[in-house]
Amino acid sequence: MFPRDFAWGAATSAYQIEGGWQADGKGPSIWDTFCHEKRGVHGGQNGDVSCNSYELWEKDLECIQQLGLTHYRLSLSWARLLPDGTTRNVNRRGVQYYNRVIDDLLACNVSPMVTLYHFDLPQAIQDLGGWKSPGVATLFDSYAKFCFQTFGDRVKLWITINEPHVCAKLGHEDGIHAPGLKEKGTAAYLVGHNMLRAHASAWHSYDSAYRATQKGAVSLALNSDWLEPLDPGCREDVESAERDLAFTLGWFAWPVFVTGDYPEIMRSAVETQSKALGYRGDFRLPTFSKDDPPILGTADFFALNNYTSRKVKSGGCGEQTLSMKRDLDAEELLDPSWPICGVSWLAVVPHGLRKLLKYIKDVFNNPAIYITENGFAQVGPLQTEDVERCNFYKSTILEVAKAIEEDGVDVRGYFAWSLMDNFEWADGFSVRFGLFHVDFSDAELRRTIYRSGREYAKIISEYKSRRLT
Ligand code: NOJ
């Protein structure tokens, strides 16, 4: 059911697993600051040590091998490589660390997929205005070129930015992620815009200077729930679901895959709400400048992070002042039949992923798709025999197979989130997404496979053996 060269992967990110927050010359990132300033992370926890992958990488590699992964998605810590964010000051020990990780993976026949930016901006760049400042795009481009130059002889799959939607909204509108800003209705649009500019610059740099020799592919990882109208017979609900998809996935996918600009529904919604409050219509959602590298066409594949689904109905936000919620003017609901796993936001709806894959095929011109994240959370008492998570993976992978076989979607790979339990941002260590359990109370941070890890390994080995016949 899966193509012969299908990528069977698992994913992690630097801040969530590495620890070593100031080891060997690493500079601080906005997540170091956010956690140390106790800005609302569960239990005042932080990623200072986390899984200590900076020192225990070989333990991670054992996990990767035990699962039989063909691919491993990791992220680079910008501030570990470039402590002040600029290429004027390269931290050689950081380069050595990632060289070792990449070389070890390849020696074990595992292909790395490398994310350049997974939520952890160098604090030095935040101090200059961070993602709100237009100059960040040039700094990101220099960092990206440095990474292509240093690691691109071996890395063939690149993600520039992970989940720009989450960085922009949770970090700058809701304030629950670093840098903790709550500038409602303005900052997130600016941040998203600069992230797109940064991504596009990096893609063009790869395209013009590295692609011919390195022969890799570059994209950005977009998160989206599957969103469908609460009542498909109600025009307002249908329009609300369309608007919600435009504000989530379309915000970034439309400029990159369809028109080079934001979805019209999003532009007009922001304009309408601005005018209603007496502002100029075009003052919040920026326009793309002709002086910047074009955005359209800057993805060699579609990278999708999907976890769950929502029913959408119109209105109901009641916000009196500018905010993204007011612009969206829609309410997201859970279907009572959907089980909730661990965290409140994660309703288990495996068929939602299939619908979303089909939607991406239809709307974004049948791109090659990698599912760069998908997973199931556990909270409360530890269950290493995690039967529900096993069922989740089995049914989700079946839905992906149906998307490929029955809907003709070009899915190239599936990455489980996550290789092991780790620092789950504002939820700290209270939420466990791993295929391996990490005992954070043990000095050695022992990794133990969950039943779901064994199940995933079995699925992978079955497909690998079919591939040989
Ligand atoms: C998406 C993010 O990329 C990742 O960092 C996070 O841990 C998972 N979602 C689960 O919330």
Side-chain angles (χ1 to χ4, degrees):
M1 281 186 288
F2 289 91
R4 291 178 79 79
D5 53 356
F6 195 78
W8 292 103
T12 58
S13 88
Y15 186 75
Q16 293 180 273
I17 66 162
E18 283 178 5
W21 78 280
Q22 50 183 5
D24 297 337
K26 175 184 168 293
S29 81
I30 54 173
W31 269 95
D32 293 314
T33 309
F34 188 76
C35 293
H36 294 156
E37 288 179 353
K38 305 253 183 282
R39 307 275 294 275
V41 174
H42 172 88
Q45 294 169 337
N46 59 56
D48 289 4
V49 179
S50 192
C51 310
N52 197 13
S53 294
Y54 187 63
E55 290 182 324
L56 300 178
W57 155 246
E58 68 283 359
K59 298 281 171 219
D60 299 356
L61 186 60
E62 283 169 19
C63 299
I64 291 168
Q65 288 182 287
Q66 204 175 332
L67 295 175
L69 303 181
T70 64
H71 287 65
Y72 176 57
R73 175 173 177 233
L74 67 141
S75 84
L76 307 180
S77 157
W78 186 344
R80 190 179 297 292
L81 289 166
L82 311 177
D84 66 6
T86 77
T87 46
R88 277 191 326 186
N89 172 15
V90 174
N91 177 19
R92 291 287 151 209
R93 305 284 291 273
V95 174
Q96 272 166 20
Y97 171 65
Y98 293 117
N99 270 334
R100 183 168 158 226
V101 169
I102 292 165
D103 289 345
D104 286 353
L105 286 169
L106 292 172
C108 297
N109 221 0
V110 178
S111 304
M113 174 186 270
V114 172
T115 307
L116 295 176
Y117 184 76
H118 198 122
F119 301 179
D120 50 352
L121 192 72
Q123 183 59 43
I125 299 185
Q126 186 62 40
D127 295 341
L128 301 172
W131 286 108
K132 279 168 55 180
S133 161
V136 71
T138 318
L139 290 170
F140 182 79
D141 185 35
S142 304
Y143 162 57
K145 285 193 279 206
F146 169 78
C147 295
F148 298 148
Q149 179 74 40
T150 311
F151 307 113
D153 54 336
R154 290 153 293 152
V155 175
K156 303 300 160 193
L157 286 170
W158 292 100
I159 300 290
T160 54
I161 296 178
N162 179 69
E163 300 194 346
H165 175 274
V166 168
C167 297
K169 184 162 184 302
L170 270 52
H172 302 80
E173 166 103 4
D174 303 337
I176 56 174
H177 274 198
L181 303 182
K182 294 185 184 162
E183 299 174 9
K184 291 216 175 285
T186 53
Y189 295 128
L190 188 57
V191 164
H193 193 71
N194 286 329
M195 287 190 147
L196 276 169
R197 292 176 55 246
H199 158 77
S201 303
W203 184 91
H204 283 287
S205 294
Y206 190 83
D207 198 47
S208 57
Y210 300 97
R211 186 189 299 284
T213 48
Q214 298 187 350
K215 302 189 168 43
V218 182
S219 188
L220 76 176
L222 303 181
N223 60 290
S224 187
D225 300 346
W226 170 242
L227 302 164
E228 62 187 20
L230 179 66
D231 174 1
C234 163
R235 193 170 55 84
E236 282 81 16
D237 286 2
V238 172
E239 285 173 4
S240 299
E242 279 169 7
R243 204 164 49 248
D244 205 354
L245 274 166
F247 269 84
T248 319
L249 192 59
W251 181 4
F252 300 96
W254 210 264
V256 171
F257 290 92
V258 189
T259 58
D261 195 6
Y262 298 115
E264 189 42 46
I265 334 180
M266 185 178 179
R267 275 217 178 278
S268 65
V270 176
E271 276 190 31
T272 307
Q273 297 303 337
S274 298
K275 283 187 190 152
L277 293 173
Y279 298 96
R280 270 181 56 150
D282 60 356
F283 111 98
R284 290 184 296 138
L285 193 60
T287 33
F288 290 101
S289 159
K290 297 229 170 355
D291 300 331
D292 278 336
I295 307 283
L296 183 62
T298 58
D300 303 317
F301 57 93
F302 201 110
L304 173 71
N305 292 356
N306 168 262
Y307 286 85
T308 187
S309 296
R310 292 286 184 273
K311 300 274 182 188
V312 186
K313 84 182 187 61
S314 64
C317 106
E319 303 242 333
Q320 298 306 315
T321 51
L322 287 181
S323 72
M324 287 191 74
K325 199 157 175 18
R326 186 184 160 113
D327 294 335
L328 174 61
D329 191 26
E331 198 182 347
E332 292 184 352
L333 304 165
L334 295 170
D335 187 300
S337 71
W338 296 338
I340 301 294
C341 89
V343 270
S344 59
W345 57 267
L346 215 168
V348 180
V349 199
H351 67 263
L353 174 56
R354 177 179 174 188
K355 291 187 182 173
L356 184 58
L357 290 169
K358 175 74 167 59
Y359 173 87
I360 291 170
K361 175 189 175 195
D362 295 343
V363 174
F364 301 112
N365 199 19
N366 195 18
I369 303 174
Y370 284 87
I371 299 159
T372 37
E373 282 183 34
N374 176 254
F376 182 103
Q378 194 182 90
V379 294
L382 172 67
Q383 282 177 274
T384 37
E385 290 299 306
D386 53 346
V387 178
E388 286 173 333
R389 182 151 43 198
C390 291
N391 293 337
F392 166 85
Y393 277 118
K394 279 193 276 189
S395 33
T396 305
I397 289 169
L398 190 61
E399 294 296 329
V400 176
K402 287 189 212 161
I404 296 173
E405 280 218 326
E406 294 174 32
D407 306 334
V409 185
D410 185 5
V411 186
R412 304 282 176 96
Y414 176 88
F415 290 73
W417 183 272
S418 173
L419 178 66
M420 58 193 164
D421 295 341
N422 58 48
F423 179 80
E424 176 56 17
W425 308 116
D427 287 325
F429 298 101
S430 67
V431 172
R432 298 182 295 269
F433 270 99
L435 293 164
F436 281 78
H437 173 61
V438 178
D439 183 353
F440 293 104
S441 64
D442 167 39
E444 318 233 297
L445 295 162
R446 204 151 55 89
R447 283 88 159 127
T448 312
I449 196 161
Y450 284 101
R451 182 171 176 158
S452 56
R454 293 199 301 272
E455 187 66 45
Y456 189 45
K458 205 167 110 208
I459 296 175
I460 297 175
S461 91
E462 275 168 18
Y463 279 103
K464 276 187 175 170
S465 58
R466 275 192 223 176
R467 207 158 64 174
L468 298 173
T469 54

